[in-house]
Amino acid sequence: MTRTVQPLKSLHPLTPDDRLRHVPYAFRHTSATLGWNGLRVEYNTRQPASDFVHPPLECLMLVLTGEIFPERADHRCDDARYSGDGLPHAVNLLPPGVESRWRWRNTGDLTDSTHYQLSPALVAKVAEQAFDLDPARFHFPVRYYDQSSPEVIATLTALRRELVTGGPGGRLCAESLANVLVVQLIRQMSNRQGSGGGIREAGGRLPRHALRAVEEYIHAHLDQNISLADLADVAHLSEFHFARLFKQTTGLPPYQFVIHQRVERAKRLIAARQLSLVQIAIAVGFSDQSQLNRHFKRLVGVTPRRFA
């Protein structure tokens, strides 16, 4: 059965929260409560055939199709039209401030997709930090079922995995991936004015005192949901350049470095034999014991129980 939804009157572009009232199905997974700055990700494996008009959004929106895809899709937005079979593992891109219509029917009357919303503030910040680019000098055209950028698709897939599995990288990982995603979108999917397109350099490595300050901050807040902005502030750098320099200096992206530190602290707590594995997992910043087990075995080679 196809669900038809008429648009509600809206005087302003919709926020990510407001948008949910216009979508004719619920999302099982959402980043709304995870504190991800500048980014909202929503996913559900069971979305019925639908026909609805989507009011303008305040954010840049992308939809990544999954394994199950529409056998017939009809979409429109401004002058862009699409009518035909949907494609798996493809990107639909909708710029802010435009109304769109989404209609599809599919085998089994169900399909799956992941929805991403990037705030204008995040897009503008990365454009300036990474490219020294005025946001007024580029825009994103409407795209339907675009498979031209494997890099964008891989980053979107990684964000979905982080959302669904509740990865231990959490907020820090998601925000790092969001920065990478915006860079990829500006490079590969925007209409950019001017010849400037290279990433602005910011030196090769973090200064020793900045790296020491960041490490001290991580160790002091290891049990908390550390954000990319927190670490960049400590280093007195933009988020984009901090993430690049940190990886060039340590060999690891910030969220992987944090996971390594959590496992190292877990090793010391296990050796002390004063806390249960559940307590240790929480004390070092993992959401549960299963995350501790998975990453401990990956980095140490044995499970925490065997290590003990």
Side-chain angles (χ1 to χ4, degrees):
M1 177 179 179
T2 300
R3 301 185 183 182
T4 302
V5 174
Q6 297 300 323
L8 301 176
K9 296 296 182 181
S10 178
L11 299 177
H12 305 286
L14 300 180
T15 67
D17 287 334
D18 292 338
R19 170 181 175 265
L20 297 179
R21 296 184 292 117
H22 298 264
V23 179
Y25 44 79
F27 293 101
R28 180 177 180 183
H29 303 280
T30 178
S31 65
T33 61
L34 301 179
W36 295 2
N37 289 327
L39 172 70
R40 174 73 68 86
V41 183
E42 289 151 336
Y43 172 68
N44 199 338
T45 57
R46 297 176 61 84
Q47 295 173 2
S50 299
D51 180 1
F52 66 100
V53 176
H54 207 307
L57 299 174
E58 68 174 19
C59 295
L60 175 67
M61 178 175 167
L62 299 100
V63 177
L64 178 67
T65 58
E67 292 283 357
I68 309 168
F69 56 95
E71 65 178 12
R72 182 70 183 182
D74 295 284
H75 306 311
R76 67 162 176 79
C77 180
D78 283 353
D79 294 330
R81 301 287 189 275
Y82 181 91
S83 181
D85 290 341
L87 297 174
H89 308 300
V91 177
N92 297 299
L93 187 152
L94 185 67
V98 294
E99 182 181 88
S100 60
R101 179 162 190 158
W102 299 79
R103 175 191 295 163
W104 66 87
R105 61 181 176 82
N106 44 283
T107 304
D109 204 36
L110 294 168
T111 187
D112 79 309
S113 60
T114 313
H115 296 210
Y116 309 78
Q117 294 175 80
L118 298 166
S119 74
L122 174 64
V123 174
K125 180 174 65 176
V126 174
E128 194 281 326
Q129 293 176 356
F131 298 98
D132 196 17
L133 185 62
D134 182 349
R137 296 185 63 82
F138 69 92
H139 73 279
F140 296 98
V142 177
R143 294 175 182 261
Y144 289 122
Y145 298 103
D146 190 309
Q147 296 177 315
S148 65
S149 177
E151 295 85 359
V152 168
I153 292 171
T155 303
L156 293 174
T157 301
L159 278 166
R160 179 181 64 197
R161 186 182 309 116
E162 191 66 27
L163 172 68
V164 173
T165 64
R171 181 181 179 186
L172 182 56
C173 178
E175 292 174 358
S176 298
L177 288 170
N179 277 268
V180 171
L181 176 61
V182 174
V183 169
Q184 293 170 337
L185 292 174
I186 292 173
R187 277 177 158 175
Q188 301 175 35
M189 292 191 171
S190 72
N191 291 338
R192 190 169 59 240
Q193 299 177 15
S195 59
I199 291 182
R200 185 171 62 181
E201 296 298 329
R205 296 172 65 87
L206 278 177
R208 184 175 301 177
H209 70 275
L211 177 61
R212 183 168 58 250
V214 169
E215 290 176 338
E216 290 174 352
Y217 182 92
I218 290 172
H219 293 150
H221 299 83
L222 202 57
D223 62 334
Q224 300 175 25
N225 196 6
I226 300 171
S227 74
L228 185 61
D230 294 334
L231 301 184
D233 284 346
V234 171
H236 302 293
L237 289 168
S238 71
E239 294 173 30
F240 178 80
H241 285 124
F242 166 74
R244 292 186 71 227
L245 294 183
F246 188 90
K247 184 175 181 179
Q248 289 170 196
T249 304
T250 67
L252 294 171
Y255 70 91
Q256 287 287 357
F257 182 88
V258 170
I259 291 173
H260 278 69
Q261 299 310 306
R262 285 174 172 160
V263 169
E264 286 300 312
R265 182 170 295 181
K267 288 166 63 176
R268 295 194 294 272
L269 292 174
I270 291 170
R273 299 180 180 275
Q274 295 179 345
L275 299 174
S276 69
L277 291 179
V278 172
Q279 291 172 319
I280 290 173
I282 301 303
V284 301
F286 290 117
S287 61
D288 53 38
Q289 187 180 339
S290 66
Q291 283 191 358
L292 170 64
N293 291 343
R294 182 167 68 253
H295 290 278
F296 196 98
K297 185 174 183 180
R298 177 173 65 87
L299 296 177
V300 181
V302 297
T303 65
R305 199 170 298 279
R306 288 287 301 274
F307 181 82

